[in-house]
Amino acid sequence: MPKIGMEPIRKEALVKATIVEIGRTGSLDVTVSQIAKRAGMSSALAHHYFGSKEQIFLAAMRHVLTLYGAEVRGALLAAEGAKARTAAIVRASFSTANFRREVIGAWLNFYVLAQTVPEARRLLSIYHRRLHSNLCHDLRPLLGARAEAVARHVGALIDGVYIREALRSTSPDAAAAADEVLAYIKLELRDCT
């Protein structure tokens, strides 16, 4: 008999185990068995809940994107004014929940997965559009017509910092990463103040 109420708990454990295993190996070359073992259950149960390794990876990225979205919304609620809101988006991108070794590895591998899996490509596209839209909304009052281009550059910088961080062996420094992106924004805003 299945235990009532265990499915969401087990799914969450599998999603978290997926993120940890991808971060540990640095690739999507992890097996459902490895993920299930880390989550403390059988690979058959993992397959039962998700159907395939690809679906487990997608669920893990949905989880990461959900956490990221919550961080951004919370940061925006606390920020007043366009400059503060822009900085809040950047800082949320490098929060301790988002900018830790295993999540960085998951993001890097998510980009790889998006090249061949349409659902991953769709999720990545949604993330990019939301980031761009949020940045444009707050950069437009500061930069006018240049907001679109600067928002694209900021998005590319955020992605680039994640990629570079994935290749380092040291612990991620979220504050330094955010400051690096914010320094670029400050340069773009220097003629607008």
Side-chain angles (χ1 to χ4, degrees):
M1 259 334 239
K3 292 181 182 178
I4 296 179
M6 288 304 292
E7 182 174 347
I9 294 167
R10 288 180 177 155
K11 280 185 170 182
E12 183 179 349
L14 286 164
V15 163
K16 288 179 178 177
T18 301
I19 294 167
V20 170
E21 282 299 310
I22 290 171
R24 185 185 64 76
T25 63
S27 78
L28 296 172
D29 256 356
V30 297
T31 65
V32 174
S33 180
Q34 288 170 299
I35 293 167
K37 183 178 179 182
R38 179 163 297 275
M41 61 191 82
S42 71
S43 59
L45 200 53
H47 279 290
H48 168 73
Y49 288 134
F50 290 101
S52 69
K53 183 168 82 168
E54 182 179 289
Q55 290 303 311
I56 295 172
F57 290 157
L58 290 171
M61 282 319 299
R62 279 188 205 95
H63 176 75
V64 168
L65 288 167
T66 298
L67 292 178
Y68 170 73
E71 290 270 344
V72 170
R73 285 188 301 279
L76 288 173
L77 282 173
E80 291 186 30
K83 281 184 185 179
R85 287 176 55 86
T86 301
I89 293 167
V90 172
R91 293 210 185 281
S93 296
F94 299 105
S95 72
T96 54
N98 295 310
F99 201 62
R100 59 184 206 274
R101 181 69 44 216
E102 60 270 15
V103 177
I104 293 167
W107 269 108
L108 187 62
N109 286 285
F110 183 43
Y111 271 83
V112 172
L113 191 65
Q115 293 178 25
T116 57
V117 177
E119 179 63 12
R121 187 176 308 115
R122 185 185 75 76
L123 288 172
L124 190 58
S125 176
I126 290 168
Y127 157 72
H128 281 140
R129 286 194 316 264
R130 284 183 182 160
L131 176 62
H132 184 75
S133 175
N134 284 336
L135 288 167
C136 282
H137 177 269
D138 294 312
L139 288 170
R140 200 168 284 115
L142 302 169
L143 296 169
R146 289 183 37 234
E148 293 276 334
V150 172
R152 274 194 311 277
H153 295 153
V154 170
L157 278 171
I158 290 169
D159 288 347
V161 170
Y162 268 77
I163 291 168
R164 192 178 62 207
E165 192 62 45
L167 302 173
R168 291 187 182 172
S169 58
T170 59
S171 294
D173 185 345
D179 287 345
E180 191 170 340
V181 177
L182 291 170
Y184 164 73
I185 294 171
K186 186 177 180 180
L187 285 174
E188 288 294 339
L189 294 175
R190 72 180 178 264
D191 297 328
C192 301
T193 55

